[in-house]
Amino acid sequence: RFCLKDLREVLNKWQTELEGKAWNSLYWSNHDQPRAVSRFGNDGPMYRKLSAKMLATCLHMMKGTPYIYQGEEIGMTNAYFEKIEEYRDIESIHAFEDAMERNIMAEEDMISALKAISRDNARTPMQWTSGENGGFTKGTPWLKVNPLFKDVNVEAQEQDPDSVLNYYRKLVALRKSDELKEVFTYGKFLPEYENVDGVMAFYRKDESKCILVAANFGKDAATIKLKSEIEKVWLSNRIDGTVDCEKDSLNLRSCEVVVLELENHK
């Protein structure tokens, strides 16, 4: 399990120390990393969609150029292969063989480790449809298709207004919108609520706008005290797009994220 405090410190460091000096490349995933939803979020059936949306929001609202790795836009998860024969990544195979030869880990424990960290988790075929091989090929793919392909695929998500795919479209449109493109492109990044367990939050701020992005990575609900009034709710990953706010207290469920415009006190 990753440590949010450490992750938050690294991301905040990149954002603040490159301010005015360089331009960030923003990404959670690539072909050498396990799936972001499984690594940093909760990929169980109840929270997979919320986690995927939360991670996407945190990334896209930071300063820099965001990258979307194949399958990230539909919330693809780790494959959780059950046996070493299902892997193709030479690093994973050699690590398994070495552990068996040196007797440093039981086979089931090593398979369990690979389920979490193997690079092959990010290399399974793209899940286009619920059909054969996820619609990726009529032949034999180099890796098994993730078993979730029947439920997690582009075709199904195109038809679902609450899908991860359609949320990504909203997110990209928001970042490029006439109202917010200036603050998200040029506005300062200011970390906030760093002492609140489970919460990653930051402002994007310029002379005219103050945007708060707040996400709850924790398993339990979290509450933060807002420092100014909400002027507009720009985005929420709740199905109804609402936020839970009482007076100056913003309540966040597990895996919830919000993008709020606050009164801008210069």
Side-chain angles (χ1 to χ4, degrees):
R1 176 67 179 173
F2 82 101
C3 174
L4 177 64
K5 181 177 181 291
D6 293 342
L7 175 66
R8 187 171 54 199
E9 287 179 358
V10 170
L11 293 175
N12 289 349
K13 177 182 174 71
W14 275 93
Q15 288 283 303
T16 56
E17 294 193 10
L18 285 184
E19 179 69 40
K21 300 175 185 176
W23 191 253
N24 271 291
S25 292
L26 308 173
Y27 64 94
W28 288 118
S29 308
N30 61 38
H31 66 286
D32 283 332
Q33 304 293 333
R35 288 287 175 179
V37 175
S38 300
R39 184 181 185 185
F40 300 117
N42 181 335
D43 65 5
M46 184 177 295
Y47 291 105
R48 182 191 58 78
K49 282 174 62 175
L50 288 171
S51 286
K53 293 175 181 181
M54 177 183 72
L55 291 168
T57 306
C58 288
L59 192 78
H60 280 71
M61 298 295 96
M62 289 184 181
K63 191 169 188 174
T65 301
Y67 291 82
I68 303 170
Y69 180 69
Q70 65 93 6
E72 196 172 357
E73 73 275 32
I74 61 172
M76 283 177 62
T77 69
N78 282 356
Y80 298 122
F81 292 143
E82 294 292 343
K83 50 189 178 181
I84 192 61
E85 289 78 13
E86 294 177 312
Y87 288 90
R88 294 293 177 267
D89 172 37
I90 198 68
E91 181 182 73
S92 298
I93 294 169
H94 282 175
F96 178 85
E97 291 173 346
D98 182 60
M100 296 304 99
E101 288 174 8
R102 296 167 58 194
N103 197 29
I104 58 176
M105 189 180 291
E107 180 174 342
E108 59 268 26
D109 293 334
M110 190 62 196
I111 290 295
S112 200
L114 292 177
K115 286 180 180 181
I117 66 173
S118 173
R119 301 187 298 188
D120 273 347
N121 285 304
R123 300 176 179 184
T124 55
M126 182 65 186
Q127 295 156 207
W128 294 105
T129 73
S130 61
E132 182 182 6
N133 294 322
F136 182 80
T137 180
K138 294 180 179 179
T140 302
W142 72 92
L143 277 171
K144 280 180 58 177
V145 180
N146 188 312
L148 282 180
F149 77 91
K150 291 189 176 180
D151 298 315
V152 181
N153 62 74
V154 174
E155 184 177 60
Q157 293 195 22
E158 287 278 10
Q159 311 305 317
D160 177 8
D162 187 50
S163 69
V164 176
L165 179 61
N166 281 313
Y167 186 88
Y168 262 86
R169 288 170 172 154
K170 291 179 186 176
L171 192 57
V172 172
L174 182 66
R175 183 182 167 95
K176 297 171 66 176
S177 67
D178 290 340
E179 299 95 332
L180 298 178
K181 64 183 178 183
E182 290 294 317
V183 69
F184 285 135
T185 303
Y186 303 111
K188 287 188 175 181
F189 174 96
L190 302 168
E192 186 57 282
Y193 305 107
E194 294 178 273
N195 61 334
V196 181
D197 290 342
V199 170
M200 178 184 290
F202 54 88
Y203 295 113
R204 296 301 311 279
K205 195 170 184 180
D206 62 15
E207 288 298 312
S208 63
K209 298 231 178 250
C210 177
I211 305 296
L212 174 66
V213 180
N216 180 12
F217 281 68
K219 292 181 179 180
D220 300 320
T223 299
I224 58 176
K225 295 289 186 181
L226 298 178
K227 297 183 177 180
S228 56
E229 296 289 327
I230 297 175
E231 291 196 349
K232 185 168 183 176
V233 178
W234 282 102
L235 197 62
S236 163
N237 67 344
R238 289 192 180 199
I239 191 169
D240 58 2
T242 63
V243 298
D244 180 4
C245 191
E246 300 175 9
K247 295 184 179 179
D248 62 348
S249 294
L250 175 65
N251 304 308
L252 298 169
R253 301 171 184 171
S254 179
C255 300
E256 182 175 356
V257 66
V258 295
V259 179
L260 308 175
E261 183 171 349
L262 304 181
E263 288 184 356
N264 193 358
H265 298 294
K266 298 178 183 178

